[in-house]
Structure formats: C-alpha cells, structure tokens
C-alpha cells in the first residue's frame, strides 16, 4: 500500500537591522520588519492553511496525517506577534493526526560546527515542543535538510528513531527516493524527499500543470501514482510558507492544499502517514550512505547556500569562535546562528540568486555581511568591556 | 548604414570619460558593420583609429581609413604639423563673424539642397543664424565669469564657446554635402553643429547624453550651456542616455518626452595585464582611492568628510585624492583644517601608466559623486581588481550588483562601508571576484546593439 508522508517546515528568523559600525550597543534586530513578516505570513499562510488542514482532518475522520517542524525562533515570534497562529498549530496538535519533528531551536548550522551547541539546541527545541504541543519529537530533520553520515551518527546519539534528508540523485544512484533507508551503521531510519514531486509544488506550482499551466491536485496525484510502486512512501517535504506566502492565495495554492488530500485518498489503496507511522509500517531496504553534506537548498543541494563564499565562511567562523559569558549574550548569539543570516550573504548568480534575494532584507549580500559583522563586533566588544 | 558622428575628444587626448566612451562605442559599432565618420574639433596625430574615418572638422584626418576621397580638395590626409596647432590659437570669430560664416557656409550648400528642405522655415531660420527659436550666436556667446564671493570660478574658459562656434561653422561648411544616413552627436559642445546639420541635410538626429549641465554644476548652472542642451534635446529625433538616472534628468530638467529617450549603458573593455600591477600592491598601508575631476559633481569634499570618520578606526589608512579641478585648493584646505594631512595624498591628474598603477595599488575605489550620469571609472577600477563603493546617485549603480552603494550625503554609511571593507579582506576579495565576472558581461557589444536599434528606429 503506497503512502504519502507530507511534512511542512515552519520557520522565521530574527532578521538583523542594518546595524552600523557607529551604532551604540543595543538593538540588533529589525523588530518592525520581523513583526510585519510574522503577521503577514500568519494571515496569508499559517492561519488559513491550518484551518484548511483542520477541516480535512475532521472530514477524513483522521485518515489524513500531516507533519510539521516548527523552529524555536518561529514559535517565539508567533507568541509575540501572532498568538492566533500558534493557537491554531496547537489546535492541530490536539487532533492527534499531526506529528512534530525535532530540529535545532535556532535553525542553525551548529551540526557543522559545534557538537555541544548542536546538542543543546536540539534539546531546547524538544523541550519547547513538549511545552507547546505536549509531545517530544522522536524523528529529526536538520536545518534545511542538511545531512551526512556524521550528522546521522550525532542524531542517533541523541536518541532519534528516524531522520529526514534530501533525495539527492548522486546519493541515491539507481535507488528510489520512495523507499525507507537506514543511516550507515545505526539503527535510525532515513526518509528521503522526493524532490521532483515536492518542487513541482514549491517552485513550479504556476507552471507544472498540464500544458504549462497551474498545477491541479488531479494532475499532481496522477503524476505521483505513475511514479510510485506498491510499497512506496512518497516524501513531500516543503516550506509551509509555500501555501499563501511564496505563492499567493490568488494563485490557487490554498485551494490546491485543501483539495489534495481528498484527491489522494480517492484511491483507497493510498494513505497518509506520519514519519513515526512510516517506520512502524515499513522496513528499511538497506543502508544509504551520505558521504558528503547535502541539503535541500539551491541547484547544488549542498552547503554552498550558506558557506559557498569567503564572507559567509568568515561570518560563520567568527560566530562559532565566540563564547558568550552571560545568558543574555547567549540568547543573542544563538539568534545570530540562524542559517538565514548566512543565506543572505550568498553571491551566487543566476536562478539561485533570485531566491536568495527574495528572502533577504538587505540590498546585497555584502550589506548583509556588513550588518552581521558590525553586530558580531559589537557583541564581542560589549563582552570585553 | 553610415553614421556621421560628432564628438569632442578622443583617446589619448581626453579630459574625462566622454572620449573613452566614444572609443568603446565606435569600435563595437564598427564590429557590427556600421560605417562611421567621426569628427572632432582637433586632431593630434597620435590617435590610433583603425575602425572608422576619423577627422577634425576641417576634414584633416588620421588613420588608415583616410583616403583622398575623404579629404576635401587641396588638403593633405595627415598633416600632423598643421593639426597639432592647438585649436584655440586659430583666430577667434566674434559673434557677428560667426553668424556671417554660418550664413555663408549654409548659403553655399543652399543650392544643392532638395527643394523640400529649402522651403522649410527652420532652414530659413538657420540662414538667419537662429535654430529653433534659439539665437545660436547669443547662446554661444561666452558668459561673464560670475563673482559670487565664495571663490567659485567659471568652469569653462570662455574660449570653449569660441571652439563650439568654430566647430559648428566648420561642420556646416564641410559636411552638409557629405553622404550619410544619421547624425549622432555626443554632448552639448556638438549640439549646435548637429542640429544645424540636421536642418540643412534633413537627416535624422540622434543626441547622445553622457552628462548634463545639471549634473556637472549643481546650483551654479551655466544657463548658456543649459540652453544649448535644451535646444539639442528638443531638436533630436532620438536621445540616447547613458543611464536611467540620466534619462530621468533629461525628462525632469528639459521636459522631454520619455518615449524618445533610450537608455544605453556604457561598457568596458576587458583588461589583460592586471597581474603585473597586482604584484605592486605592496604598500604597507590600506589605500582608499578617489579618482576624478575635483569638482562639485564628484563630491571630493564628501570624500574628505568620510575619511575623517574612517581614520579613527583604521589607523593605517591612506586616502588618495587623485585628479585636478576647481575645488582642489579648497579640498586641500579642508584636509589641513581637519588635521588629516598624514592620511592624505594629492598626486594630481594621473594618466597612462601612473593611472593604472594607482588603480592597482588601491584597496578600495570610492566614488561619492553628487551626480554621476554613468561613472565609467568604477568599471575601470574593477578591471584592476579593485572593489568599488559608489554613490546611489550614479548611472553605474544601475548595472553593477557586486559593489557597495550608499547615498553620497550619507557620510556615516559610506564610512561604515569603507571601514568594513578595510577590516575584512574577505569582503574585498568576494566583491572583486564577482564584479570582475559582472563587468565582463558589460561589454561594449551590448551597447552597440542597443544603439543600432535606435538607428533602425529612426531611419524607418
């Protein structure tokens, strides 16, 4: 019996303001912008999309299952700027049809730089999920689906039962992205993203339908059935903001989301599963090795979106060389670790650059770096004085 | 397609970016099969021009394309001795002599003109020394130097107007019967000649704006120049602006309809031998370079203010202010007054190898222009592997993504950008790495293709 594992990522960073070299120590973050974005995305995406999902869960009597990973920085900003959005996620949690995944609280790259910091941020996030949704995540997804064998081992040590990763062609080779695998040398299941199908929604919604038109649930489901074998799990992993923010409501994306589950379930041989259910019901077909770091970002699907150039590496090295001496500074330091800051500093050309600048609050990668460098310097200076 | 192009300067004898731009554009146009006769007021004999016919307004030429058919009878093709005589040493015409010359030159052409053109009232107006209601003679008359008490001097020697008069009369006298399809004129000095020629020949006129008097002078507008620009822009069939910034200025200051103005950004030719100079980056200090005319337009006073904010935080920095101009003494006073002498160098006007070396030694090129129609020096700096910080009030900011940008008046932001660029070598490296690729795409070929579109548009 083939199944769909739908997981949506919810994340908002604490964007920096264009902090100047001459600014006196104090407010690093662009509170006005962060409030504006959170309230806009809550109104356009989180609230209406959650309502749609809740309705589907009720209508399908719990047959529909969905999975979220919500970062700590998103939860904090929901609490402050859009409490209704947080409430609607909690309402979804109470249906029992929703699984929440573990990740780093600050959506950071700590897995690449500091094992202890990584561990602490993962535990912080588990505690947060416990508090907000009364469940402790057992399945893990790392920031931007960054994964490698060594990260797999670290996740295993933290007690997680499964991990999500990008279904990168070179890694999979002849193997299918729709099978369940195992982390090398560990008893941890590995679920891979079906990027062809996922990206049809995330990036190509307006053109991936029939004859280059808007994608319809019918043609998406037909495509999925065509590609899936009898015992397959199709991983549809997306940014939740796809629904209503990246693609606006006028595009028909929210209607697509509302109609898709019924369309999948119309064929009674198909079902929805959460990752925990997947690993209960599907045995792994074997180990899958990720000898290098992969991610779901950019055409390269590697780490180049965050540390592909000199300024990104300089900023990352600087932030992980720092050791905060007070709790207050630790809080700031962790907010500075959020991967988005480094994403804004990417200088890639062509298609990827448009995506990077769509997200960036800065006019150029260089200005993103300068704001970050000024803040990092100020933080260090404040500590020394 | 044959273009009669009117210019004012040509490398290596240049005072600004105009000559460099004309060289780049004509070379690329020639590559596209466009035949050009380029006319300047003065030929020096050492210009290397192989891609077009290159003469002065008296049809004395230089380069392999000059043959007897291009030269008016009784004159030799290349007479370096004669043409080296500076133009301003030739006897000036006073306004009435100018008018007389224009009238007689035009009358000489009159008989050979098609009847339709002869009957046109504008052609008659030209006979009377007037074009489009503007009295050419008084428009070209030198303005009295202003004495406004704060030491500001007229930026053009009075004889520039005499030069324009001579050029105009020469061009009308010697090129009215030339065979060509389009007149293409670069900046205000050539506008009277271009408009008059367009009127006598009936050929379409393309006016190319590299800068406007509004950009160059700020508050102290030279009304004669402004008026010449206005009648040139009004008379033009099409206008080429070097940036959207310039296009907006033309619309705003001259009330010209946007749909006859086309934006063609300048290009730059890739440079080969940068590495040799690169090795010379052995100066013990950080070098921040300003290079350009030391005039209001270029913001040299802002450069000093910015420097004063940087120096306390980057003690080993040296600010080099290269160039000459009317504001140089005032700027040097400013530096002394602010006690920044130890951090400043004034090498004067640089050219040739000195200029290339300066660009190469610099860690950072800063262009804090108050108003910059394009700003080709920013592209040159990049071609020497020097990252750039440019004012948002520049045309080049429209085409350059891999540069830092700030408003010219935002001293603190400019200082912030400079300090960080000097503190973080990685930032400079990344900017240059990416900008070099970007500049490679800003080739003159693209500019030529867009220019040809304008030509085709105007011929139909």
């Amino acid at each position: 019996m083939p199944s769909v594992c739908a997981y949506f990522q919810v994340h908002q960073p604490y964007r920096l303001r264009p902090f100047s070299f001459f600014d006196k120590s104090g407010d690093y973050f662009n509170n006005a912008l962060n409030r504006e974005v959170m309230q806009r995305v809550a109104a356009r995406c989180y609230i209406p999309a959650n309502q749609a999902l809740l309705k589907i869960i009720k209508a399908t009597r719990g047959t529909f299952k969905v999975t979220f990973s919500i970062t700590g920085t998103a939860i904090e900003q929901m609490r402050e700027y859009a409490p209704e959005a947080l409430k609607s996620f909690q309402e979804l949690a109470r249906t029992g049809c929703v699984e929440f995944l573990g990740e780093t609280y600050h959506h950071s790259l700590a897995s690449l730089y500091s094992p202890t910091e990584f561990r602490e941020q993962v535990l912080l996030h588990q505690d947060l999920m416990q508090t907000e949704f009364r469940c402790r995540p057992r399945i893990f997804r790392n920031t931007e689906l960054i994964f490698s064998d060594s990260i797999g081992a670290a996740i295993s040590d933290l007690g997680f039962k499964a991990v999500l990763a990008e279904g990168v062609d070179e890694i999979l080779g002849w193997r299918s992205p729709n099978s369940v695998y195992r982390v090398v040398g560990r008893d941890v299941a590995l679920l891979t993203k079906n990027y062809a199908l996922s990206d049809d929604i995330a990036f190509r919604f307006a053109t991936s339908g029939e004859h280059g038109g808007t994608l319809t649930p019918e043609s998406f489901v037909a495509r999925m059935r065509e590609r899936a074998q009898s015992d397959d799990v199709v991983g549809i992993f997306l940014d939740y903001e796809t629904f209503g923010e990246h693609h606006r409501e006028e595009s028909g994306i929210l209607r697509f989301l509302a109609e898709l589950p019924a369309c999948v379930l119309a064929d009674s041989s198909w079902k929805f599963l959460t990752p925990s259910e997947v690993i209960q019901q599907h045995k792994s077909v074997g180990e899958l090795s990720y000898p290098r770091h992969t991610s779901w970002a950019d055409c390269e699907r590697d780490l180049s979106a965050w540390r592909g150039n000199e300024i990104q590496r300089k900023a990352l090295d600087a932030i992980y060389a720092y050791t905060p001496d007070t709790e207050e500074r630790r809080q700031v330091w962790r907010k500075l670790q959020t991967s988005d800051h480094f994403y804004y500093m990417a200088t890639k050309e062509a298609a990827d650059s448009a995506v990077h600048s769509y997200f960036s609050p800065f006019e150029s990668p260089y200005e993103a770096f300068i704001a970050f460098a000024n803040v990092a310097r100020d933080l260090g200076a404040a500590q020394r004085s | 397609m044959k273009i009669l192009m009117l210019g004012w300067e040509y490398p290596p004898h240049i005072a600004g970016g105009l000559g460099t731009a004309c060289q780049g554009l004509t070379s690329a146009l020639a590559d596209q099969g466009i035949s050009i006769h380029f006319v300047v007021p003065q030929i020096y004999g050492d210009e290397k021009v192989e891609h077009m016919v290159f003469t002065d307004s008296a049809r004395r030429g230089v380069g392999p394309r000059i043959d007897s058919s291009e030269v008016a009878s009784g004159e030799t093709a290349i007479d370096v001795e004669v043409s080296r005589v500076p133009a301003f040493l030739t006897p000036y015409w006073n306004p009435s002599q100018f008018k007389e010359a224009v009238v007689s030159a035009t009358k000489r052409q009159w008989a050979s003109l098609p009847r339709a053109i002869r009957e046109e009232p504008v052609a008659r107006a030209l006979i009377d020394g007037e074009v489009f209601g503007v009295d050419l003679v008084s428009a070209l008359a030198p303005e009295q130097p202003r004495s406004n008490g704060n030491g500001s001097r007229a930026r053009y020697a009075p004889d520039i107007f005499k030069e324009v008069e001579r050029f105009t009369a020469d061009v009308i006298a010697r090129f009215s019967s030339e065979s060509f399809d389009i007149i293409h004129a670069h900046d205000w000095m050539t506008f009277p000649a271009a408009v008059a020629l367009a009127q006598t020949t009936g050929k379409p006129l393309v006016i190319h704006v590299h800068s406007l008097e509004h950009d160059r002078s700020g508050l102290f507008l030279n009304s004669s120049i402004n008026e010449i620009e206005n009648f040139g822009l009004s008379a033009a069939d099409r206008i080429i602006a070097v940036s959207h910034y310039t296009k907006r200025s033309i619309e705003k200051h001259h009330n010209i309809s946007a749909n006859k103005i086309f934006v063609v950004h300048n290009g730059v030719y890739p440079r080969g031998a940068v590495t040799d100079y690169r090795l010379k980056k052995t100066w013990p200090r950080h070098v921040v370079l300003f290079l350009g005319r030391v005039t209001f337009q270029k913001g040299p006073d802002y450069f000093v203010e910015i420097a004063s904010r940087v120096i306390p935080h980057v003690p080993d920095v040296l600010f080099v202010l290269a160039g000459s101009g009317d504001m140089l003494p005032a700027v040097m006073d400013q530096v002394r007054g602010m006690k920044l002498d130890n951090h400043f160098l004034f090498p004067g006007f640089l050219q040739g190898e000195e200029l290339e070396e300066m660009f190469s030694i610099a860690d950072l090129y800063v262009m804090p222009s108050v108003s910059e129609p394009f700003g080709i020096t920013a592209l040159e700096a990049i071609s020497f592997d020097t990252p750039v910080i440019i004012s948002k009030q520049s045309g080049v900011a429209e085409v350059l993504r891999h540069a830092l940008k700030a408003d010219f008046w935002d001293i603190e932001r400019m200082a912030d950008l400079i300090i960080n660029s000097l503190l973080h070598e990685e930032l400079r490296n990344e900017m240059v790495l990416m900008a070099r690729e970007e500049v490679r795409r800003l080739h003159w070929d693209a500019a030529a293709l867009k220019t040809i579109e304008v030509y085709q548009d105007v011929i139909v």
Side-chain angles (χ1 to χ4, degrees):
Chain A
M1 216 176 169
S3 52
V4 178
C5 179
Y7 136 67
F8 302 134
Q9 177 65 34
V10 177
H11 169 58
Q12 292 298 333
Y14 282 97
R15 294 163 198 85
L16 291 172
R17 65 186 184 84
F19 190 82
S20 159
F21 184 86
F22 300 99
D23 271 325
K24 295 286 162 265
S25 148
D27 232 355
Y28 299 141
F29 301 100
N30 195 335
N31 297 327
L33 177 66
N34 291 329
R35 169 195 296 270
E36 183 196 316
V37 174
M38 176 47 87
Q39 291 179 345
R40 185 183 72 217
V41 178
R44 282 180 181 171
C45 165
Y46 300 153
I47 293 170
N50 283 356
Q51 276 167 357
L53 295 181
L54 197 62
K55 218 168 131 186
I56 298 161
I57 289 170
K58 285 179 181 158
T60 60
R61 295 166 191 279
T63 324
F64 174 65
K65 305 286 174 58
V66 67
T67 303
F68 286 105
S69 190
I70 312 183
T71 64
T73 55
I75 296 273
E76 284 180 8
Q77 294 188 77
M78 274 188 228
R79 279 183 194 149
E80 196 168 354
Y81 304 133
E84 337 71 79
L86 182 56
K87 233 179 271 170
S88 78
F89 279 111
Q90 288 163 337
E91 204 178 335
L92 274 175
R94 283 194 291 274
T95 64
C97 297
V98 180
E99 174 157 17
F100 291 90
L101 304 181
E103 66 169 305
T104 57
Y105 188 101
H106 296 88
H107 199 260
S108 74
L109 303 176
S111 62
L112 307 171
Y113 287 88
S114 166
T116 50
E117 182 61 16
F118 177 64
R119 189 187 167 82
E120 279 186 43
Q121 289 183 12
V122 172
L123 295 177
L124 266 179
H125 184 258
Q126 282 189 312
D127 292 346
L128 180 72
M129 293 297 107
Q130 182 80 55
T131 314
E132 296 297 338
F133 306 113
R134 312 212 173 284
C135 62
R136 206 162 179 84
R138 304 166 59 238
I139 316 286
F140 192 80
R141 67 75 74 180
N142 197 18
T143 304
E144 307 287 346
L145 243 47
I146 291 170
F147 188 71
S148 68
D149 289 342
S150 58
I151 292 175
I155 291 163
S156 167
D157 292 343
L158 284 163
F160 287 98
K161 301 294 172 218
V163 61
L164 276 54
E166 175 67 300
V168 181
D169 290 334
E170 307 91 89
I171 299 282
L172 284 165
W174 54 268
R175 285 162 291 211
S176 163
N178 303 335
S179 301
V180 178
Y181 298 96
R182 222 169 40 245
V183 172
V184 171
R186 301 283 175 148
D187 189 19
V188 173
L190 189 55
L191 310 185
T192 57
K193 174 182 146 191
N194 185 316
Y195 76 81
L197 286 167
S198 301
D199 291 354
D200 274 352
I201 305 174
F203 298 116
R204 298 183 289 268
F205 177 68
T207 54
S208 63
E210 277 176 56
H211 312 297
T214 304
L215 186 63
T216 61
E218 291 77 17
S219 61
F220 182 77
V221 168
R223 202 170 298 172
M224 196 162 67
R225 283 187 191 137
E226 227 169 76
R227 294 184 199 176
Q229 308 282 322
S230 61
D231 200 32
D232 274 2
V233 180
V234 181
I236 304 296
F237 302 171
L238 301 175
D239 275 339
Y240 199 33
E241 293 81 13
T242 303
F243 302 101
E245 170 68 7
H246 304 338
H247 298 289
R248 297 292 148 82
E249 192 189 353
E250 308 86 85
S251 70
I253 190 91
L254 286 169
R255 199 165 358 105
F256 177 88
L257 177 68
E259 292 171 3
L260 184 67
C263 210
V264 171
L265 297 170
D267 180 340
S268 59
S269 65
W270 281 75
K271 59 185 174 181
F272 282 94
L273 292 180
T274 64
S276 288
E277 291 170 331
V278 168
I279 60 172
Q280 271 169 11
Q281 299 180 21
H282 293 263
K283 281 178 78 82
S284 86
V285 298
E287 288 187 345
L288 181 62
S289 175
Y290 280 69
R292 64 172 179 90
H293 291 292
T294 61
S295 78
W296 73 2
D298 292 358
C299 299
E300 290 97 337
R301 297 176 195 275
D302 57 11
L303 300 181
S304 58
W306 309 278
R307 54 177 201 188
N309 69 34
E310 279 195 51
I311 53 177
Q312 290 174 307
R313 289 190 288 270
K314 167 110 182 198
L316 276 163
D317 289 345
I319 206 68
Y320 283 105
Y322 176 81
T323 314
D325 60 343
T326 66
E327 192 43 39
E328 195 189 340
R329 277 195 268 275
R330 184 180 305 279
Q331 293 295 329
V332 173
W333 175 57
R334 286 189 166 150
K335 287 176 182 169
L336 294 178
Q337 289 182 44
T338 300
S339 66
D340 301 58
H341 302 302
F342 314 102
Y343 188 83
Y344 304 149
M345 298 175 198
T347 48
K348 291 184 186 186
E349 289 288 335
D352 289 330
S353 105
V355 183
H356 284 259
S357 53
Y358 164 79
F359 285 104
S360 178
F362 294 98
E363 281 183 35
S364 75
Y366 312 110
E367 291 181 28
F369 172 81
I370 288 173
F372 190 90
N374 285 335
V375 166
R377 180 181 163 278
D378 191 76
L379 189 65
Q383 176 161 327
R384 282 189 298 277
S385 65
Chain B
M1 202 183 305
K2 188 172 174 195
I3 311 298
L4 184 76
M5 209 177 264
L6 305 179
W8 199 252
E9 57 172 34
Y10 199 86
H13 303 278
I14 54 171
L18 176 62
T20 314
C22 286
Q23 183 183 37
L25 181 65
T26 55
S27 304
L29 281 170
D31 286 345
Q32 297 294 328
I34 301 288
S35 142
I36 301 165
H37 184 153
F38 196 93
V39 185
V40 287
Q42 177 71 25
I43 290 225
Y44 294 83
D46 57 346
E47 295 92 344
K48 291 182 184 63
V49 188
E50 303 192 347
H51 60 282
M52 60 183 178
V53 177
F54 183 71
T55 72
D56 67 8
S57 49
R59 304 189 71 108
R60 282 179 293 248
V62 69
R65 294 287 192 94
I66 302 298
D67 60 42
S68 56
S69 68
E70 297 290 352
V71 179
S73 56
E75 288 168 1
T76 49
I78 304 172
D79 189 341
V80 173
E81 286 309 310
V82 173
S83 59
R84 263 195 186 146
V85 176
F88 54 82
L89 291 185
T90 57
Y92 293 156
W93 279 326
N94 63 35
S96 64
Q97 284 171 312
F98 170 67
K99 184 169 174 172
E100 216 170 276
V102 170
V103 170
S104 76
T106 313
K107 273 182 178 161
R108 272 206 306 280
Q109 302 303 329
W110 189 251
S112 63
L113 288 177
R115 177 175 293 274
I117 293 175
R118 256 189 287 170
E119 306 276 291
E120 275 180 28
V122 273
R124 293 204 169 280
L126 186 70
I127 292 293
D128 297 332
E130 293 179 4
V131 177
F132 273 86
V134 175
D135 182 348
L136 202 57
V137 175
S138 54
L140 294 177
E143 202 176 302
Q144 293 303 310
R146 275 174 302 248
S147 52
N148 52 15
N150 59 13
S152 166
R153 294 170 301 165
R155 284 158 303 95
Y156 294 102
D159 52 51
I160 183 108
F161 291 95
K162 294 285 179 192
E163 283 287 289
V164 172
E165 286 173 22
R166 184 184 70 83
F167 185 70
T168 305
D170 256 7
V171 166
I172 296 166
R174 295 175 195 269
F175 291 89
S176 291
S177 55
E178 176 100 358
S179 141
F180 54 85
D181 302 305
I182 292 170
I183 304 160
H184 184 155
H186 298 275
D187 274 6
W188 73 270
M189 301 78 79
T190 69
F191 290 178
V195 173
L197 200 60
Q199 292 309 326
T200 52
T201 62
K203 296 294 183 191
L205 173 61
V206 175
I207 289 279
H208 199 134
V209 181
H210 299 262
S211 76
L212 287 175
E213 181 60 10
H214 277 273
D215 300 314
R216 292 182 296 261
S217 58
L219 294 175
F220 303 106
L221 197 72
N222 182 313
S223 58
S224 299
I225 294 173
N226 188 49
E227 209 168 321
I228 292 170
E229 285 178 342
N230 189 270
F231 96 83
L233 293 165
S234 306
D237 294 291
R238 294 290 185 277
I239 296 165
I240 293 176
V242 291
S243 61
H244 293 284
Y245 176 85
T246 298
K247 179 178 175 174
R248 284 192 294 275
S249 288
I250 294 168
E251 286 177 56
K252 185 171 130 201
H253 297 303
H254 294 284
N255 198 24
I256 302 283
S257 155
N259 51 29
K260 85 169 189 185
I261 313 171
F262 297 80
V263 175
V264 178
H265 288 116
N266 287 336
V268 68
Y269 275 111
R271 201 171 298 273
V274 170
T275 352
D276 304 348
Y277 289 113
R278 192 73 200 171
L279 298 173
K280 292 187 184 170
K281 278 209 198 231
T282 49
W283 281 32
R285 302 169 74 175
H286 284 308
V287 175
V288 179
L289 174 67
F290 170 105
L291 194 147
R293 280 178 296 115
V294 188
T295 61
F296 161 83
Q297 182 196 348
K298 304 289 181 184
D301 45 342
Y302 285 93
F303 185 68
V304 177
E305 282 291 335
I306 294 162
S308 74
R309 304 295 186 97
V310 173
I311 289 164
H313 306 285
V314 191
D316 67 340
V317 66
L318 181 69
F319 287 85
V320 177
L321 200 149
S324 56
D326 60 353
M327 274 177 72
L328 187 56
V331 167
M332 291 170 96
D333 283 348
Q334 188 187 357
V335 168
R336 266 193 300 275
M338 296 172 88
K339 300 197 182 350
L340 303 175
D341 311 48
N342 292 335
H343 292 277
F344 262 86
L345 201 66
F346 295 92
F349 181 80
L350 302 177
Q351 52 185 337
E353 205 167 307
E354 280 180 338
L355 174 103
E356 297 186 352
E357 204 169 334
M358 196 64 249
F359 267 131
S360 308
I361 286 168
D363 292 290
L364 208 52
Y365 177 68
V366 179
M367 194 178 79
S369 296
V370 171
S371 179
E372 188 69 72
F374 192 77
I376 210 162
T377 48
L379 301 186
E380 286 186 276
I382 290 166
S383 73
F384 287 101
D385 281 358
T386 302
V388 301
I389 298 179
I390 53 185
S391 82
K392 288 184 178 172
Q393 288 69 28
S394 69
V396 73
E398 295 167 18
V399 294
L400 215 47
R401 283 177 53 229
H402 296 284
L404 288 168
K405 301 166 193 175
D407 291 308
F408 72 87
W409 45 260
D410 197 346
I411 307 271
E412 198 164 86
R413 180 63 177 158
M414 282 280 189
D416 186 12
L417 300 180
I418 292 175
I419 291 168
N420 273 288
S421 301
L422 295 180
L423 292 181
H424 304 291
E425 192 187 359
E426 296 86 352
L427 181 58
R428 300 199 302 276
N429 293 347
E430 188 64 27
M431 278 177 20
V432 158
L433 181 79
M434 298 306 293
R436 217 164 34 204
E437 283 304 308
E438 192 170 34
V439 163
R440 209 161 283 168
R441 288 193 299 273
L442 295 175
H443 201 266
W444 277 110
D445 290 345
L449 292 175
K450 281 189 204 157
T451 303
I452 291 169
E453 279 176 32
V454 176
Y455 290 163
Q456 281 160 346
D457 193 45
V458 86
I459 276 181
V460 183

